[in-house]
Amino acid sequence: CVEFSPHGPQIFPRIPNPQLAFNRKLSESRRSLMPFMIAKSVDKTHIRAKQKMEGANGRRQALGAHSGGRGGGSQRRASPDGSLPVVALSSSSAAVRSEVDRIAALGGIDVEHVADGGADAAVLNLSEVRASAVKVRARFHPAYAPYFAWGSLELTLPDEAEDLLELLLAAGTTRRGQIVGVVGVHGGAGASTVAAWLARTLEGRFRVALVDADQCSAGADRLLALDGQAGVRWADLRSDSGVLVPGRLLNSLPSERGLAVLSADDRGAMPSGEAGEAAVAALSQVRDLCVIDLPGEALIEGSAAHRLLGWLDVVVLVARGGSGPARQLARAVANVPAGVGILVAALGVRGGEAAVWGRDLGIDSVYPVRLLSGLAGDVEHGVGVGERKRSATARDLAVLARACGGLQ
């Protein structure tokens, strides 16, 4: 495993190679980037991957990257064949396998090792080139021609480790875990508590990331008693040009067991626009499930936060009992984009009233959640949300968690 300097990703020396159409020198500005970033434009990652492959083949000029996916210009890719692994390597050399595994680990990408001749076994297929140096040939699966380049490219490692990492990251965007958003339909609904508790419950069966996207948040890490743990918070993510490397970002976050947390702190909350969305995209590539604690503004069409609803597979709308919240809940349901599943966490609501809410809303996914007394005191004394596993609240949220993440 490679150790990274906190001053930047200096493990990628650039050795000029006339075979590559896309060659850049390692600029001095790159040395100051955070260790979980590489200096490339977020919007041009795939164009540059195409330039590498197409430039080496000389077949055609690079085309603009396909803009499919969810969430306002995101770099997500829908997989033509979800059964394909992201990366496959065919090599009999321990040195080649070790070097490719090392570079792939930086992006949080698993490499499937296949027998010789296993062509087109993955989105990105790597094969050993017999040479005195460690060398691989890279090519994308033909089914991904609309997204990436055709042809092949030979890379010498570790000299061209950065070029290989860029191709791996491009292939990694064809996969993502499930994304669950949690949002309160009125002030003080308790959405942050529900998000943290769901993430804690789901991490028992999945690799989970909790993303604190509420601009008014005091810090999701505090709710989980992780605020004393070192690691990256939103204020550490620079908004200047760069691509977040999923594996590095994940490894830099405060974590416990299977749960990693990207949180606000007293220095600032999630930045608006592409910087925040890029972090969601990166974490969704390396986690089975991401839980996003959304601000109430996400339910207002035209707001910056509303864009994030387009990233979701499921949204959990949180409301407390009473006629006022019930009316607000009806308006919230109407503002959820088509194709996003809707679950309702009805805090302090009994089963009969929850059934009435479901009937009025025309949905059968209203889950009553009993309130835990003394929760604020627990947090103040360092007992994280979700640790009271035998409470009625824990049992109710476990039922909601099964609906969110498919727990059996």
Side-chain angles (χ1 to χ4, degrees), residues 353-364:
E353 186 180 355
V356 172
W357 282 16
R359 183 194 63 202
D360 293 344
L361 294 169
I363 59 177
D364 58 0

Side-chain angles (χ1 to χ4, degrees), residues 210-217 220 234 262-264 269-270 280 291-295 305 308:
L210 173 61
V211 179
D212 183 0
D214 189 345
Q215 297 291 327
C216 298
S217 172
W234 278 117
L262 178 53
S263 175
M270 174 180 175
V280 175
V291 178
I292 306 180
D293 177 18
L294 294 165
L308 288 172

Side-chain angles (χ1 to χ4, degrees), residues 4 26-27 41 92 128 157 231 238 256 268 284 289 330 383 391 403:
F4 289 92
L26 182 62
S27 67
S41 166
S92 59
E128 177 187 352
L157 304 177
R238 290 169 45 172
E256 186 176 35
S284 70
L289 192 145
V383 178
S391 65

Side-chain angles (χ1 to χ4, degrees), residues 4 7 81 102 130 142 144 192 222 268 279 288 299 305 329 338 378 402:
F4 289 92
H7 304 295
D81 182 355
R102 179 186 70 84
R130 307 289 182 180
Y144 288 82
S192 294
R222 182 172 177 271
D288 302 321
L299 295 171
L329 184 58
D378 281 352
R402 284 194 287 272

